[in-house]
Amino acid sequence: MVKIAPSILAANFARLEEEIQSVEAGGADYIHIDVMDGHFVPNITIGPLVVDAVRPITKLPLDVHLMIEKPEAYIDAFVEAGADIISVHVEASPHLHRTIEQIKQKGIKAGVVLNPHTPVETIEGILEEVDLILIMSVNPGFGGQTFIQSSLKKMRTLSQWKKERNLSYEIEVDGGVNEETAKLCKEAGADVLVAGSAIYQQNDRAAAIRAIRG
Ligand code: DX5
Ligand code: ZN
């Protein structure tokens, strides 16, 4: 069964505890946390302090998506704050292998993220090292954008490589995921669906999660 990772970017930050517990009760598998620095992407969001505050209020794994320059400088802080999975952008990581090793040495899962224009071939050399590959299906920076269809081809390729090469990474997709686009992502081989607005804009979070899971 496909996993659902609600993105708290679309939650009401004044009520973060209730907002997280509502999706946990509604069947979510991960809590997706979008970290933006105002440099790698044109928006500023969450830092380690918020991850630390959120850690004790949920049992779900915290899936931390770093949309920041020099992610290697902040990995330790996010691990100490309680991250279970940390994903870094290939576009922000000239020494990607070293950065992935740095995350794994902390005993947590390591992921790599691809922007919409970045070909999957750029990470072919690191497939065996990563626990998760996150395909951006919007340009990162904001919630509520439209799903970019060309991301499906990347999911298919990653899914095919995974089978052919007997690898075990999870394929995650992020951006514009709703009931309709979720179907396409599942058909293309996605294992984890991130959804912000499609979940947090609905009052019934369990129903929203069920609809996306399909
Ligand atoms: C975008 C973030 C996403 C975003 C998804 O930069 O990485 O996680 O919150 O939001 P929706 O589901 O509204 O597109
Ligand atoms: Zn994200």
Side-chain angles (χ1 to χ4, degrees):
M1 195 164 63
V2 72
K3 292 179 181 169
I4 307 294
S7 164
I8 60 168
L9 190 61
N12 178 345
F13 276 38
R15 302 177 178 198
L16 208 43
E17 183 168 8
E18 289 162 52
E19 293 282 68
I20 288 175
Q21 287 171 350
S22 73
V23 294
E24 182 165 5
D29 299 280
Y30 297 159
I31 299 294
H32 185 82
I33 302 181
D34 287 308
V35 176
M36 307 187 190
D37 67 350
H39 292 275
F40 182 69
V41 289
N43 198 2
I44 302 177
T45 56
I46 291 168
L49 271 177
V50 175
V51 176
D52 187 60
V54 159
R55 180 64 287 173
I57 66 171
T58 177
K59 290 193 189 66
L60 295 179
L62 301 180
D63 172 29
V64 175
H65 174 191
L66 295 184
M67 285 162 275
I68 63 176
E69 288 180 359
K70 301 195 191 317
E72 64 280 2
Y74 299 94
I75 285 164
D76 293 6
F78 281 101
V79 171
E80 275 153 38
D84 298 281
I85 308 164
I86 293 181
S87 299
V88 298
H89 272 260
V90 61
E91 302 86 3
S93 308
H95 304 289
L96 183 61
H97 188 279
R98 180 188 286 152
T99 306
I100 292 295
E101 286 308 307
Q102 188 189 343
I103 299 170
K104 293 199 322 188
Q105 275 168 13
K106 292 281 172 183
I108 67 163
K109 291 189 173 173
V112 62
V113 196
L114 298 176
N115 272 337
H117 77 281
T118 306
V120 277
E121 285 74 16
T122 56
I123 55 161
E124 214 176 340
I126 202 153
L127 297 177
E128 294 180 2
E129 324 296 333
V130 294
D131 299 296
L132 181 144
I133 300 169
L134 175 50
I135 297 297
M136 290 309 300
S137 42
V138 299
N139 285 294
F142 304 93
Q145 303 181 79
T146 304
F147 185 86
I148 298 171
Q149 299 279 333
S150 58
S151 61
L152 293 166
K153 187 166 175 257
K154 294 197 222 176
M155 291 174 229
R156 281 188 219 108
T157 304
L158 287 172
S159 175
Q160 193 186 335
W161 284 350
K162 192 165 127 173
K163 282 189 204 110
E164 285 171 2
R165 305 174 192 190
N166 200 22
L167 297 168
S168 58
Y169 52 75
E170 287 191 315
I171 303 168
E172 185 175 38
V173 54
D174 185 8
V177 173
N178 55 34
E179 206 177 322
E180 283 73 44
T181 54
K183 283 195 195 94
L184 306 173
C185 294
K186 283 181 279 177
E187 282 164 14
D191 303 298
V192 186
L193 309 178
V194 176
S197 11
I199 291 174
Y200 279 107
Q201 279 177 5
Q202 303 298 322
N203 289 329
D204 187 341
R205 306 285 157 73
I209 290 170
R210 264 198 311 276
I212 293 166
R213 205 184 316 260

